[in-house]
Amino acid sequence: MDTSIPRKQPASPHLIANPFIKKKNLQWTLHAPDSCPQDPPPGEAADSGGVPSPPNPDPSSSAPEPRPTAAAVESGAAVVHDHLNHFSEHLAQFVTGNTADVCQPRLSIDEYAALYSANAASELGAHFVIHQHDHPVAGTHYDLRLQINETSSVSWAIMYGLPGDPNSVRLNRNATETRIHSLWNHLIETASRDTGSLMIWDTGTYSVLPRRSKYAPTLDPESGSSDDDETASSSSPPPTQQSLLHAAFQTRKIKLRLHGTKLPDPYVIYMRLTKTEDAVGRAKAERTKKPLRRRRRGAKLTETIEQETSASETDEQQDSDADIVPATRSQLPQQDAAAMSAMETELRELEDAEVRRTNAYKGATNSIGSVHQRKWYLSLERDLSGFQPVKTEGNRTIWQPKNGEAASETTMHDKSNSAPRLTYPFHVLGRDSERSVVTGRLGADVLRDEGVAGFVPRMGWRPVAN
């Protein structure tokens, strides 16, 4: 080959010439657009002339810390010091804006916060909350929580909600005693795939009413003497609602008036625990208090504990913020990860054993001797709720309002909001109908707002409507 013949175009040292591209198209060039001065490329300063800047040693230091999710706080995966401020800000972003009465919250965030603040950390506090809990296993039920001291509340799970029909054929409700909760649990509306949705069905204060034995002599209404007068005439200070609840709890008979925002006024319930159910509940609680059998440490310890730890992690912990756990197991050496896994499991076992022993979650105090899963009976106290028995022509007894008092009181509107109270008879209709008194949301709205996907509710729940 003769190399002395000059070429029309010198060969490129890097590229192979494409014979299908015309020579005039080779004159086109492309230039990248200039980057925004206020948004330089990563690792390069805007005014450095293209000279890379040193990387930020701690990118998370300049960014604001993400807020822990409500589910992470409830499960204990995240710790906050001001629960009222945290949950007030959290719920404020989900308040429904619909002006219809059916969706309008009955309590504003400020009223809700003021109600809680007036009772929390006070020996005079008498706060109550009723949560609608749509659990995937236990199904839809309603948790009644009553403040028992400055920081804690006793809780019952009521399957069909509070009774609201004085002539219902199913006036009684089963109320199962659960763990003692921290008082800040009264503030929670949250959801997760494993625990379902939790929303505030009603909240307010309670009063413990005196209970007279059926064998006590009948009081003369003209005498003007009563148990309240005897208490007021004594030189000792009047008892607090917490002390009255403690005394009634010990006798296993509680007569309670709930001053809520949704419930009719007056609304009085009667809770009682039989001797048989008390004995059964205490025996069952003693069996569950026994410590778990400790696992033998050996070669399979790491694998077993790792599986249990990963399986026990709930969606709240997986969706929670990165600052809750300082380092993941993938960032640690294998031996350190195994040691941390064993330590976490042992701590969980100790905490669970302590919860079973005291029947109180972390941060709460069981000051009234609550026993887990004792079955109480709850019914509407019709006489004190404004009803009286009336004989019909068929010699059947029905309960009617006393001179129209109950009907007139329950139809009144609160001055603080435009939503009317419930009227007798009312029926608790469940997750598809009941709304939060603070945000106006349904249970499905809480699931959506908390970003929960894949929740499978338990089917078959039917409201008591007769």
Side-chain angles (χ1 to χ4, degrees):
M1 181 176 183
D2 188 2
T3 58
S4 62
I5 301 176
R7 294 184 178 182
K8 295 182 180 180
Q9 182 177 355
S12 173
H14 302 291
L15 301 176
I16 300 176
N18 190 337
F20 299 102
I21 299 179
K22 297 180 180 180
K23 293 181 179 181
K24 63 179 182 179
N25 291 337
L26 295 176
Q27 300 175 356
W28 291 88
T29 58
L30 297 175
H31 299 280
D34 296 335
S35 59
C36 298
Q38 66 274 17
D39 189 16
E44 182 176 335
D47 56 350
S48 61
V51 179
S53 60
N56 187 1
D58 188 8
S60 62
S61 60
S62 59
E65 294 184 0
R67 288 174 55 87
T69 62
V73 175
E74 184 195 21
S75 64
V79 178
V80 297
H81 300 289
D82 189 348
H83 291 89
L84 177 60
N85 181 66
H86 177 84
F87 287 108
S88 296
E89 293 180 355
H90 178 74
L91 294 182
Q93 57 187 328
F94 301 125
V95 175
T96 56
N98 196 329
T99 58
D101 288 348
V102 69
C103 299
Q104 187 176 5
R106 297 169 181 268
L107 279 178
S108 66
I109 295 296
D110 293 338
E111 292 171 330
Y112 154 85
L115 173 65
Y116 179 82
S117 300
N119 293 275
S122 172
E123 61 180 8
L124 302 178
H127 191 255
F128 88 87
V129 69
I130 301 173
H131 275 121
Q132 177 186 273
H133 191 181
D134 186 23
H135 195 274
V137 178
T140 304
H141 60 275
Y142 293 80
D143 295 321
L144 170 64
R145 311 191 201 278
L146 306 174
Q147 182 179 0
I148 57 172
N149 53 47
E150 293 87 340
T151 61
S152 312
S153 63
V154 65
S155 178
W156 289 269
I158 306 169
M159 178 56 67
Y160 296 103
L162 296 179
D165 185 355
N167 294 299
S168 173
V169 297
R170 297 179 62 185
L171 193 64
N172 291 331
R173 298 286 190 272
N174 178 282
T176 302
E177 201 170 342
T178 62
R179 307 285 188 199
I180 299 294
H181 287 68
S182 295
L183 195 65
W184 56 259
N185 278 269
H186 290 201
L187 304 169
I188 288 181
E189 281 192 359
T190 184
S192 71
R193 189 176 62 183
D194 292 336
T195 60
S197 62
L198 192 74
M199 70 90 172
I200 301 174
W201 188 83
D202 200 5
T203 185
T205 59
Y206 69 85
S207 300
V208 179
L209 303 182
R211 186 189 66 85
R212 293 183 59 84
S213 172
K214 62 181 180 180
Y215 302 106
T218 305
L219 291 176
D220 184 2
E222 297 181 358
S223 64
S225 62
S226 63
D227 294 342
D228 295 337
D229 295 337
E230 294 175 2
T231 303
S233 62
S234 62
S235 58
S236 60
T240 64
Q241 295 302 320
Q242 295 177 17
S243 62
L244 292 175
L245 178 60
H246 184 280
F249 192 86
Q250 303 308 313
T251 62
R252 307 189 309 277
K253 294 178 177 62
I254 307 172
K255 190 173 291 186
L256 206 66
R257 180 170 181 176
L258 300 180
H259 312 274
T261 60
K262 176 188 292 188
L263 289 168
D265 190 14
Y267 184 82
V268 182
I269 57 175
Y270 181 47
M271 303 180 66
R272 61 196 182 279
L273 174 68
T274 65
K275 292 182 178 180
T276 302
E277 292 293 350
D278 182 26
V280 172
R282 291 181 181 276
K284 185 175 181 180
E286 288 298 327
R287 292 195 299 268
T288 58
K289 285 181 182 179
K290 295 180 180 179
L292 298 176
R293 186 178 60 182
R294 302 190 63 84
R295 301 179 181 86
R296 292 180 300 174
R297 298 183 180 273
K300 296 183 179 180
L301 177 63
T302 302
E303 180 181 358
T304 303
I305 294 179
E306 184 70 25
Q307 291 177 356
E308 292 180 357
T309 304
S310 61
S312 62
E313 289 178 351
T314 61
D315 291 339
E316 299 90 36
Q317 295 170 334
Q318 294 173 357
D319 296 338
S320 59
D321 307 300
D323 61 342
I324 296 173
V325 181
T328 60
R329 293 185 178 85
S330 60
Q331 297 170 341
L332 299 174
Q334 184 176 3
Q335 293 181 352
D336 294 343
M340 177 177 288
S341 176
M343 183 183 302
E344 288 177 352
T345 303
E346 187 170 356
L347 289 175
R348 284 197 185 98
E349 290 180 355
L350 292 175
E351 290 178 355
D352 292 343
E354 183 68 12
V355 168
R356 290 192 300 271
R357 186 184 69 83
T358 62
N359 193 41
Y361 289 115
K362 186 177 180 180
T365 304
N366 187 357
S367 59
I368 63 174
S370 175
V371 179
H372 188 48
Q373 288 190 345
R374 287 191 302 186
K375 289 181 171 56
W376 293 61
Y377 296 95
L378 183 150
S379 60
L380 178 66
E381 189 72 8
R382 294 175 286 192
D383 181 38
L384 297 177
S385 296
F387 294 91
Q388 62 182 356
V390 176
K391 289 287 186 179
T392 62
E393 295 180 356
N395 201 25
R396 177 173 174 264
T397 302
I398 63 173
W399 290 80
Q400 294 182 349
K402 298 177 181 178
N403 302 323
E405 294 178 0
S408 62
E409 291 181 1
T410 55
T411 55
M412 292 177 59
H413 289 242
D414 290 341
K415 296 180 181 179
S416 59
N417 55 68
S418 59
R421 290 181 177 271
L422 294 175
T423 59
Y424 291 111
F426 71 86
H427 305 96
V428 181
L429 302 178
R431 61 173 182 254
D432 296 329
S433 301
E434 305 295 338
R435 294 184 176 272
S436 166
V437 297
V438 177
T439 61
R441 298 184 293 176
L442 296 169
D445 300 330
V446 179
L447 288 167
R448 179 203 61 212
D449 294 338
E450 297 295 331
V452 177
F455 171 71
V456 181
R458 178 178 176 179
M459 307 303 294
W461 190 88
R462 295 289 184 272
V464 176
N466 59 351

